[in-house]
Amino acid sequence: VDVKAYPNVSRIYGELMQIEAFAKAVELDPGSLTARVNLASSLLQQGDRTRASAHLEKAAAMAPSPPGERSP
C-alpha cells in the first residue's frame, strides 16, 4: 500500500463531496446564484469544463446587472 497516495485520495474525495453538496443545493434552490457558481468552481477543479460552463452560463443569466447598466 502506497501511503503517499492517501492525501490525494482524500483531496479528490473531498472535491467530489463538494460537487455533490453544491449540486444538491442547486437542486433545492435552482435560483441560488451562489450555489451555481460554487458548483461550477468545483466542477472546474475536477476538470469537468462542460458541466461547469453550463452552470456558469445559467449563473450569468441570473446575475443582476451592474449599477448604471440597463437590463436587456
Side-chain angles (χ1 to χ4, degrees), residues 3-6 9 12 16 25 29 33 35 39-40 50 55-56 60-61 63 65 67 69 72:
V3 294
K4 292 178 185 177
Y6 286 133
V9 170
I12 292 168
L16 292 175
D29 185 4
L33 182 61
L39 176 56
T50 302
H55 285 287
L56 286 174
S65 297
E69 279 193 25

Side-chain angles (χ1 to χ4, degrees), residues 57-71:
E57 287 177 13
K58 288 178 184 176
M62 296 182 332
S65 297
E69 279 193 25
R70 292 184 181 175
S71 297

Side-chain angles (χ1 to χ4, degrees), residues 6-50:
Y6 286 133
N8 288 333
V9 170
S10 176
R11 179 187 56 78
I12 292 168
Y13 179 75
E15 290 173 3
L16 292 175
M17 294 306 296
Q18 273 186 330
I19 291 170
E20 187 176 315
F22 290 133
K24 186 65 173 179
V26 168
E27 178 185 325
L28 294 173
D29 185 4
S32 173
L33 182 61
T34 301
R36 283 203 186 273
V37 171
N38 286 335
L39 176 56
S41 177
S42 294
L43 289 166
L44 281 174
Q45 287 176 359
Q46 284 295 308
D48 190 342
R49 291 183 176 145
T50 302

